[in-house]
Amino acid sequence: MITPTAPFPAPRAAAAATGPTVAIDIGGTKIAGALVHPDGTMTATTRRATPRGADAEGVMAAVTEVVADLSGSPLWASAVRCGIGSAGPVDTSRGTVSPVNIGAWREFPVQARVAAELAAHGAELPTVLAGDGVAMTAAEHWLGAARGHSNALCMVVSTGVGGGLILNNQLHPGPTGNAGHIGHMSVAFDGEPCVCGSRGCVESIASGTAIARWARDQGWTPEAGVSSGNGAGSTRDASAAGVAAAAAAGDPVALAAFDRAGRALAAAIAATATLVETDIAVIGGGVAASGDILFAPIRTHLAAYATLSFVKELQVVPATLGTHAGLIGAAAAATMLLPSPPSP
């Protein structure tokens, strides 16, 4: 449960209605649920492991169990809306998801299926679907590092790179829910192919997977935590976290891997800010947990890319909500995107 130190206003488009929002957070490892209240507190939190090796209905069964758990709350009858945050790709115009980390779901109609489960438990609620990057953006704008900023880019840098936009204090998901997907902005015209089919995408350079792959290709050895005979560090972790640990110990290839990632992120952040005049970039996700190993090169390179007068003061800061961002974001996205219900 997240309890703010002082009452927070509900997201900008919030209703006069004061009931909680049903929040569902769907990811590759867990499916979580909560009732999120207008002050940002959460009750009735529950979760299930995302089924491995299950078919589409097997995965949906875990979502059904989460909804059933929430319906047991004494506050269930007062819920006013539902937000679903999901790993993507998503198509919010159709209410479908095809998460890369849930292979059983391809164009799965999760919004309609969740709405049906809500109705089966006596709650016929307006329901909205948001990609996880958009949900994180809504969360950080409401209660996190982007609070108070009218125009913001929020990003998740993890095994992939996603994001979302706040423009004029409004969440801007775009027609299919994918606006702000900064991970597939090309920053290297002659770069290596990306899984999306393009070349030189931010994700192909700055994701945790890409950082670790590039470091290994350049001779970094996770068994010793060293490269090119340098004796720095000691780790057996071959992931981006291992590269970050080696970089913290001074390993030159590990440092170069994060500098390369930081440069790609800086170029994309500056381009986004130049296009829509965002004044802050909030970065969360597993790679962001490396702290200044990532943020220092981003800020250094940003000075070379964000040169126009209206982007020179652009801030780059870490996200603050951590594991709460998925559920808080699902609720915030629903509150911002759905029409306000009439007051009783």
Side-chain angles (χ1 to χ4, degrees):
M1 175 173 170
I2 179 171
T3 305
T5 55
F8 286 101
R12 189 171 180 86
T18 57
T21 297
V22 177
I24 309 291
D25 178 26
I26 299 170
T29 59
K30 60 96 173 61
I31 296 167
L35 299 181
V36 180
H37 300 270
D39 64 355
T41 57
M42 297 194 300
T43 57
T45 54
T46 184
R47 63 186 291 165
R48 295 289 189 279
T50 304
R52 298 289 185 185
D55 62 9
E57 291 304 318
V59 177
M60 185 63 206
V63 179
T64 299
E65 291 173 5
V66 165
V67 173
D69 287 350
L70 296 177
S71 71
S73 166
L75 298 174
W76 176 254
S78 63
V80 295
R81 64 182 74 81
C82 174
I84 308 161
S86 176
V90 303
D91 184 344
T92 58
S93 68
R94 300 171 58 209
T96 62
V97 297
S98 303
V100 294
N101 49 10
I102 305 177
W105 277 6
R106 289 295 172 267
E107 298 186 2
F108 187 78
V110 67
Q111 183 173 334
R113 293 294 300 272
V114 168
E117 289 300 324
L118 297 173
H121 289 86
E124 294 190 13
L125 301 177
T127 301
V128 72
L129 170 66
D132 52 6
V134 171
M136 176 263 193
T137 299
E140 290 291 335
H141 184 250
W142 180 21
L143 298 178
R147 186 170 178 246
H149 291 264
S150 298
N151 301 284
L153 167 68
C154 297
M155 304 171 61
V156 179
V157 182
S158 186
T159 52
V161 177
L165 290 167
I166 296 288
L167 300 178
N168 297 323
N169 275 316
Q170 299 295 321
L171 189 63
H172 182 74
T176 66
N178 293 289
H181 200 340
I182 194 169
H184 294 290
M185 178 183 291
S186 178
V187 292
F189 294 147
D190 297 320
E192 64 183 83
C194 179
V195 292
C196 75
S198 185
R199 281 188 174 273
C201 291
V202 174
E203 184 172 300
S204 69
I205 299 170
S207 70
T209 305
I211 290 169
R213 181 180 63 246
W214 188 87
R216 291 193 301 269
D217 288 348
Q218 301 306 308
W220 177 73
T221 56
E223 291 77 11
V226 300
S227 55
S228 305
N230 187 300
S234 178
T235 177
R236 294 185 179 277
D237 187 349
S239 71
V243 180
D251 183 281
V253 169
L255 285 166
F258 272 89
D259 185 76
R260 179 174 179 265
R263 184 179 182 185
L265 290 165
I269 290 167
T272 302
T274 302
L275 184 66
V276 294
E277 290 199 61
T278 52
D279 59 13
I280 190 170
V282 177
I283 305 179
V287 177
S290 59
D292 280 347
I293 296 296
L294 178 68
F295 283 91
I298 291 175
R299 291 170 180 145
T300 296
H301 288 294
L302 192 64
Y305 291 111
T307 58
L308 293 170
S309 60
F310 60 92
V311 292
K312 276 188 175 180
E313 302 303 317
L314 177 63
Q315 300 176 57
V316 178
V317 300
T320 60
L321 295 180
T323 57
H324 294 297
L327 288 169
I328 294 291
T335 305
M336 296 177 82
L337 296 174
L338 288 169
S340 299
S343 300

